[in-house]
Structure formats: C-alpha cells, structure tokens
Amino acid sequence: KQWYQRRVAITAGEGGSTLFKFDYFGEEAYLTQSSQLYLETCIPALGNVYCIAQSYRAESSHTRRHLSEFTHIEGELPFITFEQLLQALEDLVCDTAERIMTSKHSQLVLDINPNFKVPQRPFKRMDYRDALQYCKEHDIKKEDGTHFEFGDDIPEAPERKMTDMIGEPILLCRFPKAMKSFYMQPDLADPIVTESVDLLLPNVGEIIGGSMRIYDEKELDAGFKREGISPDNYYWYVDQRKYGTTPHGGYGLGLERYLMWLLNSNNVRETCLYPRTADRCKP
C-alpha cells in the first residue's frame, strides 16, 4: 500500500545535524529527512507499505552523489527476517531494471549506456568487518594514509574504489551499533553490530540503506539513550512498541542514485531536474 508523506516533521529520522530547521507557529520543526518512522506506524493497518516523496538533508556534502533534496523511495515490511530484507532489496533493484529493459523505453537507456545489463541474483554479501579486511588487503586507506579500523565510516571515494574493484553489486551488512541510528535492530549473534545493510553498486556506491527495526520498547529506549535523544517527541513511535508491533524491516532508495547506475552517469546532478545541493538552491 502506498502512503503519502508530509514534508514537515518534529523528529529526526537520521542524524540531527542534517536537519533543515524552521519555526512552525512557535514550535521547532524540520523538513523531513525520511518517511520511515511514519511508515512504521502504518504497518499494523496496511502491512507492506511504501512511499515516494522528497527528502531533505542539510549536510554540507560536495560529492558527486549528494543532493540536499532528493526523491526517496521507502518501504517497510512486516514479518520478515534480515535475509528476507536483503532479498527484497535485490528484487527491488532487479525487477525495476527488468521492467525498464523489457519495455518500449529500453532503447533510451541503451542509447546512453549501451553496456547496461540487469545484474544477476543473488548479490554478493559482505559484512562490514570483511570490508575493512578487503580494504587492508587491497591498500585502500583513509585520507591520512592509515587503514580503516572497526568503527570507522568508509567514505564515498574508498567505498567506490572497493565496489568498482569487486565489480558487482554488494550488500554490505552488519555495521557497528555506534555508527547507526537508534532504531536499528542489534544482531542477536553479535550485539555490537546491527542488522543493517547498504547496497553498493559499481560506479555509484551506496544507493540503498536499510535495516531491521527495533520492536522491543526497552531496546528502543536504550537506543535513545545511546544517541542522547529525548524520547518525548517520539511518544507516538514508542507507543507502537508499548502496545504491540511485529518484527519488521525497511529501506530507503535514492532514485537519482539509481538512475546514475542505470545510465552510467558520473554525477547525480545529471539525473534530476534542477538539482539542489549544499552550494546551489537556485534552478
């Protein structure tokens, strides 16, 4: 079922430093970063639910794949396991590409990217720890010349280098809890990491972020405390856990990044009309 997200939010779905803040009749509010938290509340009534809406990020990023305003395709799926979530991401990417390439519009893609082929499933699985080891073995280092260690974020350039060297889609899984948002479910077999995933595609890097969501109230409260977030404005989100919810997971896909991959474009600004970035708001 499709849900239509509003542009105004009173809570952060991602990091608080990337919020566009404004005054809403005397109350602090934000342009939405993500529809995820609201989508989760729809699960008991609607089951599988998704939305396609604009999201806004105030991070001062100047990479070839960052926009301040982008088209966000988000979904939440109840009664699934982490592996089923990974399979859902594979299906989303491949089924969409197959439909495009078997439609009358396929020639438009081939005119721009004549070598495009729909990838084979299943995608390569790689844990975050394995990615760190891969970077060490292939001399992919941080800007200061040192190796990546557990807890380090792998930035855009080295991440893309690793992805391009491997040369196929990668489901990069199980990031450390300290790196991820308060709502991500810890891995039962290894609680210092989460059941989280980024889908990396050659020439682009990350196009999807996803995870299983915490559905236990005590674990969610621990996530708030870890991140230093007051749960007061999240009362409606906490109530879902208080009065009953289900194991569930979800994802967010950046449409413009998907188009970068489909069209073999080198910059996300080429895949949207009137791109808004950290250094440009005008058309």
Side-chain angles (χ1 to χ4, degrees):
K1 303 294 190 300
Q2 184 173 9
W3 180 74
Y4 296 91
Q5 163 68 330
R6 303 296 185 263
R7 300 292 191 271
V8 178
I10 60 169
T11 55
E14 302 295 335
S17 63
T18 66
L19 289 164
F20 283 107
K21 300 179 183 180
F22 65 95
D23 180 83
Y24 186 79
F25 299 105
E27 183 178 4
E28 187 174 86
Y30 318 100
L31 292 178
T32 184
Q33 297 170 309
S34 167
S35 304
Q36 175 207 320
L37 304 187
Y38 299 92
L39 281 173
E40 288 186 63
T41 68
C42 299
I43 284 176
L46 301 177
N48 291 353
V49 63
Y50 76 97
C51 73
I52 302 174
Q54 300 306 110
S55 285
Y56 304 86
R57 301 288 169 88
E59 56 190 317
S60 184
S61 295
H62 301 270
T63 75
R64 64 189 191 92
R65 67 180 192 184
H66 275 90
L67 293 170
S68 298
E69 177 186 26
F70 65 98
T71 306
H72 212 174
I73 301 172
E74 299 180 86
E76 293 294 321
L77 313 170
F79 301 109
I80 62 168
T81 64
F82 185 50
E83 176 58 30
Q84 288 171 326
L85 175 63
L86 301 185
Q87 293 171 5
L89 302 189
E90 292 173 336
D91 292 342
L92 176 66
V93 169
C94 293
D95 289 351
T96 302
E98 287 170 355
R99 292 187 187 196
I100 293 171
M101 299 313 293
T102 56
S103 75
K104 62 182 180 180
H105 304 296
S106 60
Q107 193 57 46
L108 294 174
V109 175
L110 294 174
D111 287 344
I112 299 172
N113 183 11
N115 296 320
F116 179 78
K117 292 182 180 179
V118 178
Q120 296 294 311
R121 288 170 273 189
F123 293 169
K124 179 181 180 65
R125 269 78 165 152
M126 175 183 275
D127 281 356
Y128 168 82
R129 284 190 174 97
D130 297 329
L132 298 180
Q133 185 61 33
Y134 185 94
C135 288
K136 287 182 180 179
E137 292 174 354
H138 293 82
D139 204 34
I140 301 173
K141 298 180 180 179
K142 295 189 281 189
E143 287 187 351
D144 63 5
T146 61
H147 290 293
F148 291 100
E149 301 294 340
F150 189 85
D152 288 336
D153 183 37
I154 304 176
E156 191 264 348
E159 178 188 82
R160 180 190 174 191
K161 184 176 182 180
M162 179 186 74
T163 306
D164 289 349
M165 288 175 70
I166 293 173
E168 61 179 303
I170 304 167
L171 288 164
L172 186 58
C173 304
R174 298 180 177 87
F175 292 88
K177 188 187 298 184
M179 290 175 58
K180 289 298 183 178
S181 296
F182 65 89
Y183 53 76
M184 293 193 180
Q185 178 72 32
D187 189 315
L188 292 178
D190 188 4
I192 66 170
V193 300
T194 54
E195 289 187 321
S196 53
V197 58
D198 286 349
L199 174 58
L200 313 180
L201 294 179
N203 190 48
V204 181
E206 178 197 347
I207 72 159
I208 298 178
S211 76
M212 298 299 292
R213 317 308 194 190
I214 290 175
Y215 58 96
D216 177 80
E217 185 183 0
K218 290 182 179 179
E219 281 195 19
L220 183 61
D221 185 57
F224 284 130
K225 290 178 180 176
R226 185 183 73 247
E227 299 296 319
I229 297 173
S230 170
D232 292 349
N233 282 341
Y234 294 84
Y235 68 90
W236 49 276
Y237 188 71
V238 175
D239 280 354
Q240 291 276 305
R241 280 73 183 163
K242 182 179 294 184
Y243 299 113
T245 184
T246 65
H248 61 284
Y251 61 85
L253 178 151
L255 177 62
E256 291 83 0
R257 291 189 186 182
Y258 185 88
L259 292 175
M260 281 181 70
W261 168 69
L262 188 71
L263 302 175
N264 196 34
S265 173
N266 190 54
N267 197 302
V268 71
R269 303 181 193 197
E270 298 173 353
T271 61
C272 64
L273 184 65
Y274 302 136
R276 284 201 172 102
T277 64
D279 53 10
R280 187 177 185 89
C281 187
K282 298 176 182 177

